[in-house]
Amino acid sequence: MDNPKLAWLRAHIGESTKKSPSPFAHWLDGIVETVEFGDLSIRYTVRPDMTNPHGSLHGGVIAGILDDVIGTCVASLGKDQPFVSLNLSVDFVQ
């Protein structure tokens, strides 16, 4: 049987992350594509307000997407205790 958080995420497949309890996920406005226990995918559309002066996806937004997807994936595990990211390191190579 699914845990309540996993069931909630599965019920929102195909929908915008604007239904998330996270205001940042609202701004990212991804589309939930797949959800499994500890595994999910979310599709994002790059908007002009997400880009750097060169028109590329801003590194801070990339890190934010990673953090949001990881947090959502952890939520799919159905743990009762709250969780936060303690450390996130992203290296950009050109």
Side-chain angles (χ1 to χ4, degrees):
M1 180 174 160
D2 287 347
N3 65 62
K5 292 176 185 175
L6 181 59
W8 187 89
L9 288 166
R10 284 184 172 157
H12 291 86
I13 291 174
E15 298 180 7
S16 167
T17 58
K18 288 189 178 194
K19 294 186 177 181
S20 166
S22 164
F24 186 65
H26 298 182
W27 181 78
L28 288 172
D29 195 21
I31 302 296
V32 180
E33 292 193 323
T34 62
V35 177
E36 296 299 331
F37 181 83
D39 185 25
L40 60 89
S41 65
I42 301 173
R43 177 175 30 96
Y44 298 93
T45 300
V46 177
R47 304 182 310 265
D49 61 332
M50 296 174 156
T51 61
N52 61 27
H54 302 287
S56 300
L57 184 59
H58 191 285
V61 176
I62 293 170
I65 287 171
L66 286 169
D67 186 64
D68 197 62
V69 170
I70 291 166
T72 306
C73 194
V74 170
S76 78
L77 301 175
K79 305 294 183 185
D80 290 332
Q81 67 273 19
F83 54 90
V84 297
S85 296
L86 297 178
N87 185 33
L88 176 64
S89 178
V90 181
D91 296 320
F92 299 97
V93 180
Q94 183 172 345

